[in-house]
Amino acid sequence: METAEAQDTTAGAVTSATTAAAPPAWADMDTDCLAHVFRRLDLEDLAASAPLVCRGWRRAASDPSLWRALDLRRDHLARFTPWSPLAAAFASRYGVSRRFSLPGLLRLCLARAQGSALDLALPPLLSSPADDLLHLSVHCPRLRRLALPPLPACDEARLPELVPRWPMLEHLELDAKPSAATFPALAEQLGRHCPNFATLKTSGAVKPEDAAALARWLPRLRSLCLDRSYMPRQELLAILAGCRDLKELSARGCVGFDDGDEEVARRGARIERFDVAGSRMVDEDVELAGDEFCDSSYVDVM
């Protein structure tokens, strides 16, 4: 029979083995491992839940790599209103209720990113667009992709002066094309200060000065999307002649040229992905009568 001392030794060995085989507690996991897991969390959980579990989780949730890509457009009406679940989470966990806002959340996200944000998409819920744009221009020096909602004219006019702060910018998406008073200056700043800029997506009225600016300042553009724009045939041809490096051009559902135009098709044949389906010379949905229609070179859109 085993002695009492031998039994104690055996029991201790089993306990030690069991302890060694047991996985570590979540709170004691390596920060890098936790951060890897947290990449699968939604913004709501990453911002308002994980940081409040314990110090270890808070440290992992603050890892800048988790905040480099921020698409705040997804379900923005449901997520960022004062009565949303995210607002309720901030109210209960941070004591923030009436002061909860998208700009406040944006600042929190950019603070967590610590200057490493690379991809940012904003919804049309900004209360002070000028202040928010200035803030992200200061705190996102490494930005490569930027998507912006429609902006008031005064804030839109500030875009050219902010572009030099994003020298690594490669992709710009504007829900509404800036006016002809701003767009040429914007194209110039992109051409001068963003050597890797390759993709532009926007929609609106393309004037002769806009097309000329694209051809002059962004001849190395690789992808251009102008779907649902007003774009006369001569402006499209000017863009095709000037932007010789285009690999993709989409001008679907535009007004100002026909999608069956032979010259347009010939000029676009060199582009790998050239799509002008649904474009037409005149908007058939707009009733034009007598003196109200001055000439075919102007169509009022949006």
Side-chain angles (χ1 to χ4, degrees), residues 103-254:
L105 179 63
L106 174 62
R107 281 164 169 71
L108 182 148
C109 293
L110 296 184
R112 296 275 176 84
Q114 298 180 25
S116 67
L118 304 177
D119 187 340
L120 180 61
L122 299 181
L125 291 175
L126 302 177
S127 56
S128 301
D131 293 339
D132 297 324
L133 288 174
L134 180 61
H135 186 80
L136 69 90
S137 74
V138 172
H139 294 276
C140 301
R142 300 174 58 191
L143 205 61
R144 295 183 181 178
R145 298 174 60 89
L146 176 63
L148 294 176
L151 300 171
C154 57
D155 297 323
E156 173 188 282
R158 298 194 62 187
L159 285 176
E161 69 184 63
L162 298 179
V163 164
R165 302 186 182 190
W166 300 312
M168 300 175 66
L169 194 65
E170 301 174 2
H171 172 104
L172 179 61
E173 184 175 336
L174 303 168
D175 280 359
K177 189 192 78 64
S179 68
T182 298
F183 186 82
L186 176 62
E188 178 178 355
Q189 294 304 307
L190 289 168
R192 287 184 181 276
H193 299 283
C194 306
N196 297 322
F197 188 75
T199 305
L200 177 64
K201 180 178 181 180
T202 190
S203 180
V206 180
K207 304 293 182 65
E209 51 268 45
D210 299 325
L214 284 173
R216 178 180 180 183
W217 296 109
L218 298 173
R220 297 188 300 275
L221 204 61
R222 307 284 286 181
S223 177
L224 177 62
C225 179
L226 295 168
D227 290 348
R228 299 179 302 281
S229 291
Y230 165 62
M231 182 163 52
R233 178 177 183 269
Q234 59 268 27
E235 270 63 85
L236 175 58
L237 293 177
I239 292 171
L240 290 172
C243 300
R244 301 294 299 178
D245 288 350
L246 280 173
K247 299 298 182 183
E248 178 180 17
L249 190 148
S250 180
R252 296 171 59 89
C254 290

Side-chain angles (χ1 to χ4, degrees), residues 2 6-22:
E2 290 185 333
Q7 290 177 347
D8 290 343
T9 301
T10 302
V14 172
T15 301
S16 299
T18 303
T19 302

Side-chain angles (χ1 to χ4, degrees), residues 265-294:
R266 185 180 70 80
R267 298 279 191 92
R270 63 179 172 80
I271 300 176
E272 293 179 6
R273 296 182 60 187
F274 183 70
D275 190 354
V276 295
S279 294
R280 54 204 183 281
M281 183 65 71
V282 177
D283 190 346
E284 298 174 356
D285 296 330
V286 177
E287 294 184 2
L288 304 173
D291 295 338
E292 294 181 4
F293 184 46
C294 299

